Amino acid sequence: MTPPTSTGPSARRDDFSADYFDALARGHLMVRRCQACAHLCPPAARSCPVCHHGSLDWVASTGRGRVVSAVVDRNRGDEPRTLAFVEMEEGPWIAARLIDADGLVPAGTPVTVVIQHPADGGSGESVPAFVVGEAATTGTS
């Protein structure tokens, strides 16, 4: 499967998110791990929600998860988009687009990450998206 390109709003990197976006550009979805208690957190976490420790590492995700909640956004000028909260196999939740989803996707549906890269080598950052079921290539390794 050819990795899809991102045509939505562009993500913006800063010093805190640079390692995350660098990993996405290489095809890896990362989550945060607390150095004190090993709890896994979403990529945007700045401290552990369990022990409140401020030192977090990056660890690779399996790229597999299940839909927690999804909505179809019909307020855009182009075709509708399905957006979802996905609970990763490791535990953290990630908000992202569901690719090729035909309408609403029920909670509990298995999904696999695909990394969307900027269209035609354009500017912007690679971002995670998900496909229903198992993808031929997960975008992680």
Side-chain angles (χ1 to χ4, degrees):
M1 168 165 52
T2 303
T5 56
S6 176
T7 57
S10 61
R12 303 218 190 271
R13 101 175 20 228
D14 58 16
D15 291 341
F16 176 79
S17 64
D19 291 339
Y20 175 70
F21 286 118
D22 289 345
L24 286 171
R26 293 188 307 270
H28 305 282
L29 176 62
M30 306 296 278
V31 295
R32 306 286 276 172
R33 179 180 56 203
C34 177
Q35 291 179 358
C37 73
H39 180 76
L40 295 174
C41 313
R46 292 192 179 251
S47 65
C48 178
V50 173
C51 73
H52 308 290
H53 197 268
S55 294
L56 304 174
D57 292 329
W58 290 106
V59 296
S61 169
T62 64
R64 294 183 300 272
R66 293 196 176 271
V67 172
V68 174
S69 180
V71 63
V72 177
D73 178 5
R74 299 186 195 288
N75 293 324
R76 296 181 51 91
D78 53 358
E79 66 186 60
R81 296 173 155 220
T82 302
L83 309 171
F85 281 109
V86 172
E87 182 175 13
M88 301 307 299
E89 226 173 44
E90 300 83 8
W93 288 18
I94 294 179
R97 183 175 177 199
L98 295 179
I99 305 297
D100 296 332
D102 188 17
L104 285 178
V105 177
T109 300
V111 292
T112 304
V113 74
V114 292
I115 307 300
Q116 292 189 300
H117 301 285
D120 298 322
S123 63
E125 302 294 342
S126 297
V127 295
F130 291 88
V131 294
V132 173
E134 297 292 321
T137 183
T138 64
T140 64
S141 55

